[in-house]
Amino acid sequence: MDIPGSSLMLTRRTTLRKLFWRPGRLAGVRPGSVLLYAMAWAQAETGVPVHQVVLMPNHHHTHVAETASGGQVSDFQRIAHRASAVGLMRLLAAEGYEVPPAVWCSSSKTHQLHLVGAAAEAATLAYARLNPVAAGLVGRTRDYPGVVVTWADWKRGYIDVPRPWCFDARTHPPVRRLWLTAPRQLLALFDGDLGALVYWLEKLAQDEERAVAASLKGAPMGAEKLMALHPW
């Protein structure tokens, strides 16, 4: 169900939860750039506002908003997932890995969590951003070598994503721009003061990050080992 104006957290896992999106380079390309380029393309086609993207080795959490006059989340998902899957398959083949029949799990649909109220938005934004720490991959979010496009990027309003070689240069521009906005319910809580909102979220995340890291047993995997993992 799409609710115009609402905020959602989209979650999609890989086939058999394989580590196809681990941050290490594939054929000279960081896999995360493939997903971001695909999402920028999907946004250009649908107009769906994006708030945050966190890409883990075997799934992603993406916060978006559905607008009455903009695009449709279902179309955004379809374009982003299909384009990113095709691109990643090309990278896996070029690197000599077995190419899966599907990158994203075909037995389950993208999960859409509808977020009602600013509290739900803040909680899920922080949850997604802290995923790399909670999973024991790194000790601090800033040490994660993968994709974490979050509230620090709201101030600029966009990120530019250079075209990975796995996208056809004849049909795709050299750079795609992924526009980023703050969730409207959260921003309204701070009377439209984006700086105050970002400061508050950073403080919230820092406090939660320390608590999550302290609750884990053993040392985190670390960026170097993470990037060297086999995709399968």
Side-chain angles (χ1 to χ4, degrees):
M1 177 177 63
D2 291 336
I3 303 175
S6 69
S7 179
L8 307 95
M9 182 173 76
L10 312 177
T11 301
R12 187 73 183 266
R13 302 191 181 280
T14 58
T15 298
L16 300 176
R17 297 178 183 254
K18 295 300 182 180
L19 309 178
F20 299 139
W21 297 102
R22 61 102 168 99
R25 290 183 179 274
L26 285 173
V29 175
R30 289 195 179 278
S33 67
V34 176
L35 180 63
L36 290 179
Y37 192 87
M39 284 190 173
W41 179 16
Q43 184 184 66
E45 294 292 323
T46 64
V48 170
V50 174
H51 305 317
Q52 177 173 276
V53 183
V54 177
L55 178 59
M56 297 289 283
N58 61 4
H59 68 279
H60 76 83
H61 293 300
T62 300
H63 283 71
V64 301
E66 177 73 3
T67 63
S69 59
Q72 297 296 320
V73 171
S74 57
D75 291 333
F76 174 87
Q77 293 173 170
R78 174 180 52 80
I79 297 170
H81 288 141
R82 184 180 185 281
S84 61
V86 170
L88 191 72
M89 286 177 175
R90 289 171 179 163
L91 296 184
L92 289 169
E95 194 71 21
Y97 289 117
E98 180 182 353
V99 178
V103 169
W104 301 109
C105 182
S106 57
S107 63
S108 61
K109 296 181 179 180
T110 302
H111 182 260
Q112 294 186 4
L113 179 62
H114 288 267
L115 307 174
V116 181
E121 289 180 334
T124 54
L125 285 168
Y127 163 80
R129 177 170 142 155
L130 293 175
N131 253 209
V133 176
L137 302 181
V138 291
R140 300 173 301 181
T141 304
R142 67 185 183 188
D143 296 330
Y144 183 59
V147 169
V148 180
V149 176
T150 185
W151 45 78
D153 300 293
W154 293 343
K155 293 182 178 180
R156 183 170 58 178
Y158 64 88
I159 59 170
D160 285 332
V161 188
R163 182 187 63 235
W165 67 256
C166 51
F167 286 87
D168 193 340
R170 295 170 297 179
T171 54
H172 292 283
V175 176
R176 286 193 181 275
R177 179 163 290 183
L178 180 64
W179 295 95
L180 303 166
T181 60
R184 283 185 288 176
Q185 296 174 105
L186 258 181
L187 192 58
L189 189 65
F190 288 82
D191 297 322
D193 189 336
L194 183 59
L197 170 58
V198 171
Y199 175 83
W200 180 78
L201 284 171
E202 288 287 359
K203 184 66 168 59
L204 173 67
Q206 289 171 8
D207 293 342
E208 291 193 7
E209 183 177 90
R210 284 192 290 267
V212 169
S215 69
L216 298 177
K217 297 180 179 179
M221 178 182 296
E224 186 174 349
K225 289 184 179 180
L226 173 61
M227 292 189 291
L229 290 174
H230 194 289
W232 285 90

